Amino acid sequence: MNILKAFWRRMTSPSKVAVGLVLFMGFIGGLAFWGAFNTGMEATNTEEFCSGCHAPIVKEIRETIHYSNRSGVRAICSDCHVPHNWTDKIVRKVQASKELVAFAMGTISTEEKFQERRGHLAHREWKRMKDNDSQECRNCHNFDYMDFSEQGPRSVKQHSTALASGDKTCVDCHKGIAHKLPDMKDVEGW
């Protein structure tokens, strides 16, 4: 107890040691917080984490070209659904926390309940991707490097006109490229 009292006296007296100790403790605390925060952010960017609530979706992607292809490049959930730049990533993580709450409350806790809400979830995600000009797609698929000679005539026409002009974005035409399209009959505005 005497040690704590001595420590408190030293901290409350205006000495260089106290100021230095407070700054040092703040620096160490900041490093610990930053490290824990980044570790948590990265842990929520794994396929294993996503499949905890979205298991049916993760099963689907394993049958698509985004999961297995001739080049060996594999996209995981966070590549398409989490922005890569830091500020937008934080905003998206806060938005996605609603899905964690929905899962915990039982709203999407079974495959049947998830399928029932899937159209609404997809509609919200497609809107988000359209609003950000399909930025997550563009992180891997760069328009400037598209080889039109390797594309079919319809793709060349669409990519060289609507995509090049900015009239459309990737998600306008490529819904269902990595997932099966959900039943949208009960989704308002669809």
Side-chain angles (χ1 to χ4, degrees):
M1 191 66 164
N2 287 339
I3 295 172
L4 287 175
K5 286 181 181 179
F7 177 74
W8 181 252
R9 260 187 261 116
R10 176 140 341 244
M11 293 298 290
T12 56
S13 65
S15 73
K16 292 179 183 177
V17 172
V19 171
L21 189 58
V22 167
L23 288 174
F24 178 74
M25 288 172 28
F27 179 74
I28 295 301
L31 282 177
F33 172 79
W34 187 253
F37 182 76
N38 275 337
T39 300
M41 289 285 286
E42 291 309 312
T44 61
N45 274 352
T46 64
E47 193 173 314
E48 293 77 25
F49 179 84
C50 298
S51 67
C53 300
H54 299 287
I57 300 289
V58 175
K59 280 188 253 180
E60 281 178 14
I61 197 170
R62 292 188 176 142
E63 300 169 9
T64 70
I65 196 157
H66 280 101
Y67 189 82
S68 180
N69 54 64
R70 66 186 175 275
S71 67
V73 176
R74 176 179 287 168
I76 64 169
C77 308
S78 59
D79 292 326
C80 302
H81 297 283
V82 179
H84 293 202
N85 60 17
W86 198 83
T87 307
D88 292 337
K89 181 188 284 190
I90 298 298
V91 170
R92 179 67 188 115
K93 293 290 185 174
V94 170
Q95 291 169 344
S97 66
K98 289 185 350 185
E99 294 172 26
L100 294 172
V101 171
F103 186 81
M105 291 177 56
T107 308
I108 58 172
S109 59
T110 66
E111 189 162 347
E112 294 77 26
K113 289 179 179 180
F114 180 81
Q115 292 300 340
E116 188 177 305
R117 294 283 307 152
R118 186 172 178 182
H120 298 283
L121 295 169
H123 182 63
R124 188 176 70 211
E125 185 63 5
W126 292 334
K127 181 183 179 333
R128 183 189 71 79
M129 292 180 89
K130 180 148 178 83
D131 290 347
N132 78 5
D133 194 25
S134 299
Q135 184 57 51
E136 286 76 36
C137 301
R138 295 171 190 274
N139 286 329
C140 297
H141 301 278
N142 190 321
F143 178 77
D144 295 333
Y145 303 122
M146 285 186 179
D147 185 353
F148 293 125
S149 68
E150 294 290 323
Q151 297 179 7
R154 183 172 166 222
S155 297
V156 169
K157 183 177 187 237
Q158 289 300 313
H159 289 147
S160 64
T161 57
L163 189 60
S165 69
D167 291 339
K168 292 198 175 202
T169 187
C170 308
V171 75
D172 288 322
C173 301
H174 293 286
K175 291 178 178 97
I177 192 82
H179 305 292
K180 293 177 185 165
L181 289 172
D183 181 2
M184 300 300 285
K185 71 177 183 234
D186 296 329
V187 179
E188 189 177 316
W190 181 251

